């Protein structure tokens, strides 16, 4: 027993040359371009403000770092990779809180 409004305006019709149709035509391609992996290096956090880093282009290592320098680099890359500014601030304050109070807050 629902009353439908048949006099409501109709949605606009898509033209045949719209970007959406061009995109769907392009998605129907059967061959994808060959995959090429670009190795930018590796970062690993080891704990207790220690990390290791190795940067390379292709199969050759360009630079290596360890200890505090790699730890600072790891933290800065981690912050930059956060999607939103809000997440960057929350992660930064969480690191500060962990440095000031320690990880285990049940001891207080």
């Amino acid at each position: 027993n629902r009353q439908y409004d048949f006099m409501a305006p109709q949605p606009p019709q898509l033209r045949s040359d719209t970007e959406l149709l061009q995109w769907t035509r392009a998605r129907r391609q059967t061959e994808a371009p060959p995959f090429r992996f670009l190795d930018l290096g590796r970062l690993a956090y080891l704990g207790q403000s220690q990390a290791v880093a190795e940067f390379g282009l292709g199969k050759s290592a360009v630079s290596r770092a360890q200890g505090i320098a790699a730890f600072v680099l790891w933290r800065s890359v981690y912050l930059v990779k956060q999607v939103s500014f809000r997440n960057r601030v929350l992660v930064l304050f969480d690191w500060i809180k962990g440095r000031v109070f320690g990880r285990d807050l049940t001891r207080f």
Side-chain angles (χ1 to χ4, degrees), residues 42-43 51-55 63-80 95:
R42 287 156 289 287
L43 290 170
V52 291
E54 180 179 77
F55 302 103
S63 177
R64 291 184 176 148
Q66 60 185 359
I68 298 294
F71 174 70
V72 170
L73 181 66
W74 184 88
R75 287 252 168 134
S76 63
V77 168
Y78 191 88
L79 276 180
V80 169
W95 287 343

Side-chain angles (χ1 to χ4, degrees), residues 11-107:
Q13 297 297 320
L14 294 175
R15 297 182 312 191
S16 62
D17 295 346
T18 61
E19 293 180 21
L20 178 64
L21 290 175
Q22 291 173 358
W23 181 79
T24 55
R25 282 189 203 114
R27 296 279 295 164
R28 291 184 189 143
Q29 293 177 350
T30 58
E31 292 185 25
F35 177 76
R36 290 181 19 190
F37 177 71
L38 177 62
D39 184 18
L40 298 177
R42 287 156 289 287
L43 290 170
Y45 176 63
L46 302 175
Q48 298 177 355
S49 300
Q50 298 291 313
V52 291
E54 180 179 77
F55 302 103
L57 286 173
K59 296 184 183 215
S60 62
V62 175
S63 177
R64 291 184 176 148
Q66 60 185 359
I68 298 294
F71 174 70
V72 170
L73 181 66
W74 184 88
R75 287 252 168 134
S76 63
V77 168
Y78 191 88
L79 276 180
V80 169
K81 290 292 188 175
Q82 295 300 312
V83 176
S84 68
F85 180 74
R86 178 182 178 267
N87 284 354
R88 289 180 184 149
V89 170
L90 288 174
V91 167
L92 187 61
F93 277 118
D94 191 47
W95 287 343
I96 292 169
K97 181 183 68 174
R99 184 62 77 179
V100 171
F101 298 110
R103 289 182 59 185
D104 188 11
L105 294 177
T106 60
R107 296 182 185 179

